[in-house]
Amino acid sequence: MSKTVLITGATSGFGKASVHRFANSGWRVIATGRRAERLQELVNELGADKVHPAAFDICDPAAMDNALAKLPAPFKNVDLLINNAGLALGTAPAQESDLDQWNTMIDTNVRALITLTHKLLPGLIKRKGAIINISSVAASYPYPGGNVYGGTKAFVVQFSLGLRSDLHGTGVRVTSVEPGMAETEFTLVRTKGNQEASDKLYKGANPMTGEDIADTLLWIASLPAHMNINRIELMPVNQSFSPFQVYRVGN
Ligand code: NDP
Ligand code: 8X3
């Protein structure tokens, strides 16, 4: 019998590619995001029996409740929650950052993620389901301008590991997926629509793609029920590590 996955942030990037991968592998998919027309395109491409579009702002708990209450019968029982919706805003150092942007990242990457998880946990436990949370390499490796974004993603890692502890014995699997550079709309959003900045960042780097991450998510979800990937970190070959920066007095 086919299973149901709820994928947040399905209008673009990792989420959109995952809707295709899961639907084409026999899953029923609840696809969420604010851009309703993009969700409808997924339904048109993949079929209304495979994809249910749920357009809402994930930061609005009432809208989330409404969308969950309106799930049609075949999509009601979620077996897998992929908490993917998220964003980075700005690259300024902390001392020059915009507090509203910080709060939006916390509301989206943290508050909305825990809210949806909390709402779906009873059903996931009943069905011995799974949760995959999308974190980032920014959770483990700080970089200038990563401040609150990295903080939210570190929360996602630790929350995932905490869930693993709490769900001990329930059969529910929890995974933190921590990707590095992948070309999606991520940088366009981060730079408020600066296509040139986005193109420049990815040019020549051969970054990962939404499909690369979607393949990883499908692999994790398809493992035997007795196996749990706790954390997985992925990078394009052309991305690696730098030395610490050292500020020298007198420079
Ligand atoms: P995209 O910008 O391409 O996709 C982000 C998705 O999140 C969109 O579908 C967007 O939908 C959704 N989203 C954002 N805010 C809201 C909101 N308030 N309500 C509902 N949906 C929302 O980026 P990616 O695919 O790259 O990002 C997916 C996840 O992966 C994010 O959590 C990101 O932090 C993480 N990540 C990305 C990396 C990268 O290099 N690309 C690397 C590591 C992690 P809509 O705008 O329609 O609402
Ligand atoms: C996205 C990867 O390195 O831009 O989470 O923060 S990075």
Side-chain angles (χ1 to χ4, degrees):
M1 213 179 77
S2 77
K3 291 190 170 186
T4 301
V5 55
L6 189 156
I7 302 175
T8 67
T11 57
S12 169
F14 301 169
K16 182 179 172 186
S18 298
V19 174
H20 282 270
R21 286 293 195 268
F22 278 83
N24 287 328
S25 302
W27 289 69
R28 278 184 298 268
V29 182
I30 303 160
T32 87
R34 287 165 299 186
R35 287 169 286 182
E37 68 291 350
R38 291 200 182 187
L39 297 177
Q40 191 52 47
E41 279 168 23
L42 290 167
V43 178
N44 297 345
E45 285 169 54
L46 296 161
D49 54 331
K50 294 258 183 74
V51 179
H52 171 71
F56 63 94
D57 184 336
I58 205 163
C59 299
D60 177 348
M64 186 189 288
D65 277 341
N66 186 39
L68 293 177
K70 281 191 184 152
L71 289 176
F75 292 88
K76 270 223 174 306
N77 296 326
V78 176
D79 300 286
L80 168 62
L81 167 62
I82 300 186
N83 279 313
N84 164 71
L87 78 174
L89 292 173
T91 51
Q95 60 275 26
E96 290 162 25
S97 286
D98 175 343
L99 184 57
D100 287 342
Q101 292 192 331
W102 280 7
N103 280 316
T104 301
M105 288 188 276
I106 291 169
D107 287 345
T108 313
N109 302 356
V110 175
R111 202 182 297 276
L113 182 149
I114 61 162
T115 303
L116 184 58
T117 304
H118 192 265
K119 289 179 194 299
L120 294 185
L121 261 180
L124 289 167
I125 292 170
K126 207 184 295 173
R127 284 179 286 284
K128 296 190 189 305
I131 301 170
I132 302 178
N133 292 324
I134 308 301
S135 176
S136 166
V137 292
S140 303
Y141 312 104
Y143 60 86
N147 43 64
V148 167
Y149 177 69
T152 65
K153 292 302 184 179
F155 174 90
V156 173
V157 174
Q158 203 60 18
F159 179 58
S160 306
L161 297 176
L163 280 174
R164 278 278 288 139
S165 274
D166 289 350
L167 292 166
H168 185 75
T170 64
V172 176
R173 299 190 281 178
V174 185
T175 301
S176 166
V177 174
E178 299 156 34
M181 181 188 272
E183 186 166 8
T184 61
E185 293 179 11
F186 178 82
T187 300
L188 212 52
V189 171
R190 187 171 209 168
T191 60
K192 287 193 177 291
N194 187 338
Q195 187 67 55
E196 205 183 322
S198 178
D199 291 346
K200 191 171 161 208
L201 180 70
Y202 301 121
K203 189 168 178 222
N206 201 6
M208 296 186 292
T209 64
E211 287 70 23
D212 292 330
I213 303 304
D215 284 341
T216 305
L217 302 184
L218 185 61
W219 170 72
I220 292 167
S222 308
L223 286 168
H226 67 279
M227 275 187 69
N228 194 94
I229 304 290
N230 296 336
R231 303 175 65 165
I232 182 166
E233 189 180 286
L234 310 104
M235 277 182 176
V237 172
N238 289 344
Q239 181 180 31
S240 65
F241 313 98
S242 299
F244 289 120
Q245 51 185 346
V246 178
Y247 177 76
R248 296 180 201 285
V249 180
N251 268 3

